Amino acid sequence: MFDYLTTTAAGLGCYPNYSFDIGDVDGDGRMEFARLDTAGNQLAVISLDGGTLFERRLENNGNWGTAPLRVADLDHDGRCEIIVPSGPRVMVFDGAGRPLAKTAAIGTHKDAYGISIPLLDVARTAPGHGPAIIAALAGGTVRALGANLETLWETGGFKRDFGHELHLADVDGDGFDEIAFCTADDINQPPGPANSGDLVLLDHDGSVLLRMPVADHIHDTHFDDIAMADFMGDGTSQILLEKGFLVDLAGNVLWDLSGRMEHGQWIAHAPAPDGKGRVGFISELWGGAKKSMMFTGRGQKIMDIQGFPWPALPEPDMDRLPSRCHAVRWDAQSDPEFFFAQQAHIRGEGHCNTRARHFQLEGFFMDMRGNRTGAVRFDDSRVQGWFYNGETHSKVADVDGDGRQEIVFPRQDGRVMLIRRAG
């Protein structure tokens, strides 16, 4: 067993939901936190010490904390830029908040949450180009943008809405990223005859490699998380879907553990201890049977979390739910571990918190064989009037520049908690 330490860093001023990213925007070797508010209409970049580098007003006016932002070094100068949607446009800011570039109006529709550009990421897409911005446009188009926000390619014909994230990996070994995502008629409504969804895989040039109906495999419109890697250890890439099954690049199911889960939400994975393929862990946001599960890359269940401490929270309408999970390798000498934590949910209240609540939660660590390696306890609160959907983008990175990774965990009280392993 190891000891784990927590420190509380910056306050974000809100619970960022999906709208959170990190990166070194001022070139000092330490990372800053970037977030949008629930509407996606206020951008703030905050230092590790809690100082605000800048704030900017945008034009999104969403309603569910889904507006994307990305922090990435687009020009390789050692300082990251902040990439955001602003209404129908993509905008790029430097670390002082100066606008560097913006597109013309390219988003002509809005998704179910009121966002015109619901997904953004940065990918390797073409020889001779630097990182490209990948933008999913509500209405069914994906566009790659170059350094000056010029269009490199565009692929259309998808459904109006997009899933929670873009997922990038070089699945064919050519040095460029393929792009996976889900597209749905209405991302905020249940599946039915008029509301279906597809899993899509694009090549680095925007050509469609796979378009697979989600309903062929689960009763839903989308997958919440997607991972691409050589899970089976056979030298090829496969696609792991968070409901608990693995498909090949043609969409054929290779193994299926979905019947042993309730509602898988997030995927973490790391190299297997025997060097063959990868080990995966899926944490479940919903469902009370504690079936968050670890498994081999060939679909053999290793363990689930039913033996983990899960006491009731102090009020009868409060539940503990799993958070996003991560694989973390603290330094070059340490073996990887899986991490997930608890978060609070209020039954029957919806997403807008009506009064302050205070509670204590735990985070847990496991090695790749399913052994628990430690835990960390922390205090948290839900703030009256804040919006919570339970799907914040926690991260793993060397935030403070000391050569060791930290877990960057936005708590429900709006403060960022850094988690380290002692020693």
Side-chain angles (χ1 to χ4, degrees):
M1 300 288 281
F2 296 100
D3 292 325
Y4 300 87
L5 310 174
T6 66
T7 57
T8 302
L12 300 175
C14 70
Y15 186 69
N17 301 294
Y18 290 101
S19 307
F20 178 75
D21 202 5
I22 61 176
D24 181 5
V25 305
D26 56 9
D28 68 351
R30 305 195 328 156
M31 293 189 178
E32 285 72 43
F33 308 120
R35 62 86 173 153
L36 301 174
D37 65 353
T38 301
N41 211 22
Q42 182 197 47
L43 167 65
V45 177
I46 299 162
S47 73
L48 192 60
D49 300 323
T52 299
L53 274 69
F54 69 87
E55 294 181 328
R56 292 291 178 270
R57 297 291 293 173
L58 305 175
E59 299 178 5
N60 292 306
N61 301 310
N63 63 3
W64 224 71
T66 63
L69 80 165
R70 187 75 170 87
V71 180
D73 186 359
L74 297 174
D75 56 8
H76 300 294
D77 68 349
R79 297 186 298 272
C80 290
E81 288 72 46
I82 302 97
I83 307 150
V84 293
S86 183
R89 297 172 173 82
V90 175
M91 294 191 69
V92 180
F93 293 92
D94 70 10
R98 293 181 291 257
L100 299 178
K102 69 177 179 179
T103 64
I106 58 176
T108 57
H109 303 271
K110 291 185 177 182
D111 72 357
Y113 302 120
I115 301 298
S116 294
I117 303 171
L119 297 179
L120 285 171
D121 213 324
V122 174
R124 305 165 298 169
T125 63
H129 289 274
I133 298 169
I134 309 298
L137 314 180
T141 299
V142 177
R143 183 178 293 191
L145 305 171
N148 298 312
L149 299 188
E150 75 279 11
T151 297
L152 302 177
W153 52 255
E154 181 178 294
T155 303
F158 304 116
K159 298 177 183 293
R160 183 195 70 176
D161 289 359
F162 289 84
H164 303 316
E165 301 171 58
L166 294 171
H167 308 273
L168 309 175
D170 178 11
V171 301
D172 55 10
D174 64 359
F176 303 106
D177 289 321
E178 281 65 54
I179 305 155
F181 55 88
C182 286
T183 178
D185 295 303
D186 190 326
I187 200 67
N188 198 32
Q189 295 297 324
N195 188 28
S196 63
D198 297 323
L199 168 67
V200 178
L201 180 65
L202 300 183
D203 205 351
H204 65 271
D205 61 1
S207 57
V208 177
L209 299 174
L210 172 66
R211 185 166 182 172
M212 181 182 83
V214 173
D216 286 357
H217 301 284
I218 62 167
H219 182 63
D220 209 329
T221 61
H222 62 284
F223 297 106
D224 295 294
D225 202 2
I226 300 163
M228 297 176 284
D230 180 8
F231 288 94
M232 300 186 70
D234 64 2
T236 68
S237 294
Q238 303 92 39
I239 303 172
L240 179 61
L241 301 164
E242 96 300 337
K243 291 301 179 284
F245 58 93
L246 191 77
V247 301
D248 64 19
L249 299 185
N252 301 303
V253 176
L254 301 174
W255 53 256
D256 187 351
L257 291 172
S258 60
R260 305 178 72 173
M261 306 186 74
E262 289 184 285
H263 189 286
Q265 185 79 27
W266 297 291
I267 298 168
H269 58 94
D274 63 4
K276 298 177 182 178
R278 302 184 75 80
V279 175
F281 181 80
I282 292 176
S283 61
E284 296 197 298
L285 178 58
W286 304 110
K290 296 185 281 295
K291 293 183 178 180
S292 297
M293 182 186 300
M294 187 186 300
F295 46 87
T296 72
R298 292 188 172 269
Q300 301 291 316
K301 179 180 175 179
I302 297 172
M303 55 79 72
D304 60 36
I305 67 167
Q306 292 190 62
F308 285 59
W310 219 260
L313 284 169
E315 299 181 47
D317 62 345
M318 297 179 68
D319 294 321
R320 298 172 190 259
L321 299 177
S323 72
R324 185 181 291 264
C325 54
H326 295 283
V328 55
R329 190 177 183 191
W330 302 102
D331 54 41
Q333 288 72 46
S334 62
D335 294 325
E337 294 179 323
F338 287 133
F339 165 82
F340 77 99
Q342 298 164 341
Q343 59 179 317
H345 169 66
I346 313 299
R347 274 177 276 117
E349 187 175 66
H351 294 288
C352 190
N353 196 54
T354 58
R355 63 182 176 86
R357 313 259 192 151
H358 307 284
F359 38 85
Q360 194 169 71
L361 302 170
E362 287 194 83
F364 303 100
F365 298 89
M366 301 156 284
D367 66 20
M368 295 300 107
R369 292 181 171 84
N371 303 304
R372 287 174 56 191
T373 55
V376 63
R377 187 168 296 179
F378 59 96
D379 294 315
D380 206 348
S381 301
R382 286 170 68 99
V383 179
Q384 184 175 0
W386 283 13
F387 182 92
Y388 296 95
N389 67 26
E391 303 190 28
T392 296
H393 282 169
S394 50
K395 306 285 182 181
V396 174
D398 178 8
V399 178
D400 55 8
D402 67 352
R404 292 171 56 86
Q405 288 191 326
E406 292 85 34
I407 297 166
V408 184
F409 189 88
R411 295 189 317 222
Q412 292 186 337
D413 65 2
R415 300 193 69 82
V416 179
M417 181 172 66
L418 302 181
I419 304 172
R420 301 174 171 87
R421 194 169 81 178

